[in-house]
Amino acid sequence: DVGNQLADKQVHSVCPYCGVGCQLTYHVKDNSILFVEGRNGPANHNRLCVKGRYGFDYVTHRQRLTKPLIRRSDAPKHIEMDMDYNNPLRDFREASWEEALEFATKGLKKIHKKQGPNGLAGFGSAKGSNEEAYLFQKLIRTAFNTNNVDHCTRLCHASSVAALLQMIGSGAVSNPVADVADAEVIVLIGSNPTSNHPVAATFFKNAARDGKTLIVMDPRKTDIARYADHVLQFNPDTDVAMLNAIMHAIIQLDLVDHNFIEQRTEGYTTLKKHLQDYTPERMAPICGIPAETLYEVARIYASAKGSMIFWGMGVSQHIHGTDNARCLINLALITGQIGRPGCGLHPLRGQNNVQGASDVGLIPMVYPDYQRVDNAEIRKKFEALWQTTLDPNPGLTVVEIMHAIHDGNIQGMYIMGENPAMSDPNLNHARTALASLKHLVVQDIFMTETAHYADVILPASAFPEKTGTFTNTDRRVQMGRQAIDSPGEARQDLDILLAMAKGLGLQWNYTGPRDVFNEMRQVMPSIAGITWERLEAESAVTYPCSHEGDSGESVIFQEQFPRAGGKAALIPAAFSHADELPDDDYPYILITGRQLEHWHTGAMTRRASVLNSLEPEAVAMVHPDLLEQIGLHAGESIRIRSRRGEVVTGTRSDRGLNPGQIFLPFCYYEAAANMLTNDALDPDGKIPEFKFCAIKIEQA
Ligand code: SF4
């Protein structure tokens, strides 16, 4: 109440962090956010987690970039960075916007002329709005003339999307999180929602309280397991073995949905044959789950009136991530657990706009709405609309771009809001690549680890400083509204994109995000019916929404799947191990992930005072027996080495892990987990294996 009296205005927006997409209200006075409250949005029902509620004062942090910066000619790009955040001007000098934009575009044009279109690449961001992501991919495709454009979806659910597109023709979720109210059984696999999707976790917990059966499958026993009826703590990287065994049991017990298989799928005979060898008895020693538990879970999942599967990056971030997802899709299809309220498939999306950034084409192989760049008819359509000639070949993905830089094939990049110098696997390799670029343009709000390698830095806007649309994990397009102005000379990202486009020779006449959104509606059938005015009035509309007045479909695939013939494809997946297994030299397994209080590479949350006070230091989670084995007490420091790098970090005792595994959050620059991770890729999704590599440890 005191806050309400002090604030001069309330601005309704959405949370800038995770894909749950909680709606919130900024309470603002004198261009400053006083506090944040949850709103009664469809995904949050007034709730917010600690990040949404307290993680807002990063916007006024003293390290905000407020002027364009150009690298001093005598400042080398160090591969091992001195993270002197307080002195960004050591290697850079301040510049006017005019000079910085000219420098930025001139450098890119020079490489384009000398090296050709594929000498350039761009990383956009899932933290930006749909309009920013759409314009960014359009700029890369029409000004650079290449499809070398990607973003962090590659590091997140690219494998899930590959499997979903292949098997059911759509890369998004089939049902929203709130559908758990209509489910009987909820399966959570490879997901730690209490930390990563905290408000969604409250829906799961409430469902469990209301008598729904909650089944948790994860190599690490996290908080949500306390609410579960069944906890399957399976061995890391054995998802395919476990899930195939569950499907084998379902077939053996004749719990498949014969009608659904007959009418809605193809490939069952091949899948059934493939599953013959995956008996629960044979798979039990591999996955570490007793055969009787596999039979029991198979019976519960298949016999329920409605079973929903939610999965996170424990499924997707493997070299067999696409196969992991294929198994989950097969499971839902053979039991008919899809196409109705209270069942279905839901890959929990990570960033607040990773669904939207993917939808609008921030992906090297597809234009907006997943329309393939190598389909001549589709390409012609986009060429007519964008009035240019487009590259007919799919571009390179995130890690492939780093390899192409090492090979000298890519020499210039434009990176908007992404931080690959922290988020990419095998950081020594990624940082060496960034340091060797001839010209790197970075657009961001802080001197991120990636900005340290830039030739020019364009100071951008933080989330509450701009208006745009964001699409949450439920396929819900929501309006984020500007609450405050940017500091100093920092500009809105959309304005910077327009200025960059002009400097690169494009004739764009957008007057703001509404114009961009209207163009998106023309090329994206999924959102054709959503108007800007409706979003302003209602704040959220779910796609597919084909025509104005369409209420939008929250549950899809009710009649058919969006594939030729309308049927889903059952695709068998064979069990294989991780790329780098423990051995005598590196005997332990590293699992990386997030913490409740911090977000991804920590650029925002480590500068949010409450969040950083709660979790100020790098810490690895280690089983107490393993700590004892190496002569340490919890809290003392540990050195972790892999074949690619090493870090020193504090420790915390965690009985949720098996003694052979260590969990390390990836948000701490001083103990960057990705120094250790393996950049081996899933062949379909091109996602790296963040969830498994071999390490050794010692006292530090
Ligand atoms: Fe924000 Fe996600 Fe927390 Fe909701 S659950 S407040 S969207 S971080």
Side-chain angles (χ1 to χ4, degrees):
D1 288 347
V2 173
N4 277 322
Q5 284 162 24
L6 287 173
D8 346 284
K9 61 174 179 179
Q10 282 86 36
V11 179
H12 296 326
S13 190
V14 292
C15 174
Y17 294 107
C18 90
V20 174
C22 297
Q23 293 190 359
L24 52 73
T25 300
Y26 290 115
H27 292 259
V28 178
K29 183 175 176 61
D30 299 335
N31 200 39
S32 178
I33 298 168
L34 298 180
F35 66 100
V36 172
E37 271 184 320
R39 262 196 302 152
N40 193 15
N44 63 313
H45 302 181
N46 296 307
R47 303 163 209 170
L48 291 177
C49 78
V50 68
K51 288 190 287 286
R53 190 173 297 280
Y54 295 111
F56 60 87
D57 63 348
Y58 71 93
V59 298
T60 50
H61 194 279
R62 62 190 163 77
Q63 290 166 344
R64 273 297 294 273
L65 295 171
T66 57
K67 285 199 165 158
L69 299 171
I70 292 178
R71 178 174 290 280
R72 293 179 189 279
S73 52
D74 59 348
K77 294 180 181 177
H78 301 283
I79 292 151
E80 276 309 314
M81 288 174 294
D82 167 11
M83 302 303 300
D84 189 356
Y85 284 127
N86 291 316
N87 187 18
L89 294 182
R90 188 190 54 186
D91 291 339
F92 295 86
R93 64 175 174 82
E94 290 177 351
S96 67
W97 268 105
E98 199 183 8
E99 184 191 7
L101 287 166
E102 198 191 332
F103 185 84
T105 51
K106 210 169 147 189
L108 294 169
K109 283 191 283 193
K110 199 169 150 192
I111 292 168
H112 189 272
K113 198 170 168 197
K114 190 167 158 236
Q115 191 98 359
N118 290 323
L120 294 171
F123 288 164
S125 170
K127 298 232 71 61
S129 66
N130 286 321
E131 295 73 31
E132 290 159 2
Y134 174 81
L135 282 195
F136 189 84
Q137 60 85 34
K138 182 175 172 182
L139 181 147
I140 301 296
R141 291 188 156 116
T142 59
F144 291 4
N145 310 108
T146 177
N147 289 311
N148 290 339
V149 59
D150 209 353
H151 76 294
C152 64
T153 191
R154 192 65 43 206
L155 311 175
C156 164
H157 266 305
S159 46
S160 308
V161 172
L164 289 163
L165 284 172
Q166 179 191 31
M167 296 171 71
I168 56 177
S170 165
V173 302
S174 67
N175 299 54
V177 171
D179 247 25
V180 292
D182 292 321
E184 263 185 24
V185 172
I186 300 152
V187 174
L188 281 175
I189 175 166
S191 165
N192 177 7
T194 317
S195 289
N196 300 332
H197 301 89
V199 169
T202 65
F203 283 77
F204 303 143
K205 292 172 189 174
N206 286 354
R209 181 201 59 194
D210 294 343
K212 322 274 179 187
T213 302
L214 180 61
I215 301 170
V216 171
M217 305 173 176
D218 200 300
R220 183 178 173 220
K221 199 170 173 183
T222 62
D223 174 77
I224 198 74
R226 294 193 292 126
Y227 302 83
D229 299 277
H230 299 274
V231 179
L232 278 61
Q233 195 172 1
F234 62 98
N235 294 329
D237 99 342
T238 64
D239 313 52
V240 169
M242 179 180 72
L243 294 168
N244 276 349
I246 290 172
M247 282 189 277
H248 177 105
I250 287 169
I251 292 170
Q252 191 183 327
L253 299 170
D254 196 22
L255 293 172
V256 295
D257 185 332
H258 294 284
N259 277 343
F260 192 92
I261 290 170
E262 171 70 25
Q263 288 163 20
R264 308 277 315 263
T265 72
E266 56 195 29
Y268 179 63
T269 309
T270 309
L271 176 68
K272 187 177 173 186
K273 190 161 175 248
H274 171 79
L275 292 171
Q276 273 172 0
D277 291 341
Y278 289 89
T279 64
E281 291 76 14
R282 282 191 65 220
M283 293 303 111
I286 295 172
C287 65
I289 304 298
E292 54 273 26
T293 307
L294 296 171
Y295 279 109
E296 174 72 353
V297 166
R299 191 189 55 72
I300 294 170
Y301 175 83
S303 337
K305 280 202 194 106
S307 291
M308 289 184 81
I309 301 175
F310 294 86
W311 72 94
M313 272 148 260
V315 165
S316 60
Q317 290 177 334
H318 286 281
I319 58 157
H320 43 73
T322 305
D323 276 340
N324 291 348
R326 283 181 181 128
C327 288
L328 295 172
I329 300 164
N330 285 333
L331 183 56
L333 289 171
I334 63 168
T335 51
Q337 294 287 12
I338 189 164
R340 309 183 307 278
C343 62
L345 295 161
H346 192 121
L348 285 156
R349 305 309 303 250
Q351 298 241 33
N352 74 334
N353 199 36
V354 72
Q355 183 63 59
S358 304
D359 295 342
V360 304
L362 208 51
I363 296 181
M365 53 293 279
V366 291
Y367 300 125
D369 253 1
Y370 306 93
Q371 302 176 74
R372 287 204 62 95
V373 300
D374 48 10
N375 178 314
E377 205 177 311
I378 287 169
R379 194 170 57 254
K380 231 189 247 171
K381 187 176 76 177
F382 279 91
E383 285 179 339
L385 183 86
W386 292 343
Q387 297 185 352
T388 191
T389 305
L390 295 166
D391 182 352
N393 301 307
L396 298 175
T397 58
V398 167
V399 175
E400 290 173 332
I401 285 171
M402 291 300 161
H403 288 301
I405 299 171
H406 272 286
D407 294 342
N409 296 328
I410 289 179
Q411 300 193 351
M413 280 194 78
Y414 179 13
I415 299 180
M416 178 182 80
E418 194 98 327
N419 191 8
M422 274 292 283
S423 60
D424 273 24
N426 190 4
L427 276 185
N428 278 320
H429 181 269
R431 289 178 180 181
T432 314
L434 292 169
S436 69
L437 281 169
K438 288 215 165 76
H439 191 67
L440 173 58
V441 180
V442 169
Q443 178 175 324
D444 216 310
I445 63 172
F446 290 116
M447 192 73 200
T448 61
E449 291 74 12
T450 300
H452 277 263
Y453 297 106
D455 293 278
V456 52
I457 304 171
L458 308 173
S461 43
F463 184 88
E465 296 163 4
K466 56 193 177 183
T467 292
T469 65
F470 296 81
T471 306
N472 82 344
T473 190
D474 294 330
R475 291 181 271 105
R476 196 172 282 126
V477 184
Q478 307 198 97
M479 184 66 89
R481 296 181 179 86
Q482 183 177 0
I484 54 172
D485 295 325
S486 301
E489 294 178 27
R491 282 193 188 175
Q492 298 226 340
D493 290 85
L494 208 73
D495 292 342
I496 302 173
L497 278 164
L498 296 181
M500 285 290 290
K502 192 174 171 199
L504 291 165
L506 298 173
Q507 311 289 323
W508 285 358
N509 297 311
Y510 306 101
T511 57
R514 181 198 301 246
D515 272 2
V516 184
F517 186 80
N518 284 336
E519 180 173 311
M520 286 158 46
R521 288 179 61 204
Q522 285 180 48
V523 294
M524 297 175 65
S526 64
I527 60 162
I530 304 178
T531 64
W532 187 265
E533 292 70 26
R534 184 170 166 196
L535 282 172
E536 278 184 329
E538 298 176 19
S539 288
V541 182
T542 300
Y543 79 76
C545 179
S546 60
H547 57 273
E548 288 185 28
D550 180 353
S551 56
E553 285 178 60
S554 63
V555 177
I556 52 177
F557 314 136
Q558 302 203 36
E559 303 292 332
Q560 56 179 13
F561 294 97
R563 294 180 77 247
K567 287 188 173 185
L570 294 159
I571 309 277
F575 170 65
S576 63
H577 273 298
D579 179 69
E580 186 186 53
L581 295 175
D583 56 20
D584 289 347
D585 295 332
Y586 294 88
Y588 303 107
I589 296 166
L590 178 75
I591 303 173
T592 65
R594 300 195 293 253
Q595 276 178 300
L596 169 64
E597 293 79 4
H598 286 302
W599 186 247
H600 282 200
T601 66
M604 292 153 66
T605 52
R606 294 200 76 197
R607 294 176 175 95
S609 53
V610 171
L611 302 177
N612 202 45
S613 301
L614 289 168
E615 284 288 1
E617 287 171 1
V619 68
M621 315 300 164
V622 190
H623 192 280
D625 291 353
L626 182 54
L627 280 172
E628 193 181 336
Q629 198 181 312
I630 57 170
L632 280 183
H633 294 105
E636 293 176 335
S637 293
I638 191 174
R639 186 182 310 278
I640 310 177
R641 286 201 176 96
S642 77
R643 290 184 174 84
R644 294 156 292 280
E646 68 175 69
V647 301
V648 173
T649 173
T651 52
R652 193 172 289 165
S653 175
D654 185 347
R655 287 187 184 277
L657 288 155
N658 283 324
Q661 306 153 4
I662 287 184
F663 178 85
L664 188 60
F666 64 91
C667 59
Y668 297 100
Y669 68 83
E670 62 276 37
N674 284 323
M675 283 289 179
L676 307 165
T677 49
N678 186 358
D679 52 2
L681 300 181
D682 173 284
D684 299 302
K686 304 286 173 73
I687 193 169
E689 194 153 54
F690 288 116
K691 291 289 187 225
F692 197 113
C693 73
I695 52 167
K696 58 183 166 187
I697 55 172
E698 62 188 29
Q699 288 187 23

